[in-house]
Amino acid sequence: MIIERILIFLLFLIGFSAIVAMRNIIKKIFGLNLMNAAVVLLFILGGSRIGSQAPILDDGIIHMVDPIPQALMLTAIVIGVCVSALSLALAVRLYQATGSLDIDVITKRLADEH
């Protein structure tokens, strides 16, 4: 159980370091997706520890898996896909406007225009 949490934390740290350290916008978006995946995995891991049987109401079922974390993470996945699509669309628009995906070059070129 602790190994899984450590690996999920490392996945989150890799995504966070990509957002902080990388200058390319596409790499920052990829880092954001890694962080989202780590959070989803953490919640699914926590939800799987609660019970061992499917949440079907029947006689003899005692330890049911809680379906709420799974439903919340399905929603989080959909929101993550939407955020990724919006981020990529903005990155394409910035590339068309500035000719670069480097955040420093984009900032400089947009500052020169104003």
Side-chain angles (χ1 to χ4, degrees):
M1 180 166 153
I2 192 75
I3 288 290
E4 293 94 354
R5 291 181 188 270
I6 291 172
L7 291 175
I8 290 171
F9 182 68
L10 287 175
L11 183 65
F12 186 86
L13 280 181
I14 291 169
F16 184 74
S17 66
I19 289 176
V20 172
M22 299 293 176
R23 294 180 359 179
N24 189 315
I25 291 179
I26 301 297
K27 291 179 183 177
K28 288 181 180 284
I29 294 170
F30 188 71
L32 184 66
N33 287 331
L34 282 176
M35 288 174 61
N36 183 33
V39 170
V40 168
L41 286 172
L42 182 65
F43 272 82
I44 295 297
L45 178 68
S48 69
R49 303 288 181 197
I50 294 171
S52 60
Q53 295 177 334
I56 299 171
L57 297 178
D58 197 14
D59 294 335
I61 295 181
I62 299 170
H63 301 290
M64 291 190 306
V65 175
D66 189 11
I68 299 297
Q70 295 173 5
L72 288 174
M73 289 308 105
L74 185 61
T75 305
I77 290 169
V78 171
I79 291 171
V81 168
C82 293
V83 167
S84 297
L86 179 65
S87 301
L88 288 171
L90 289 173
V92 167
R93 183 64 186 107
L94 278 172
Y95 182 77
Q96 290 173 346
T98 61
S100 176
L101 290 173
D102 188 334
I103 196 77
D104 294 334
V105 174
I106 291 171
T107 304
K108 182 179 179 287
R109 289 182 183 167
L110 289 177
D112 290 343
E113 289 180 3
H114 293 89

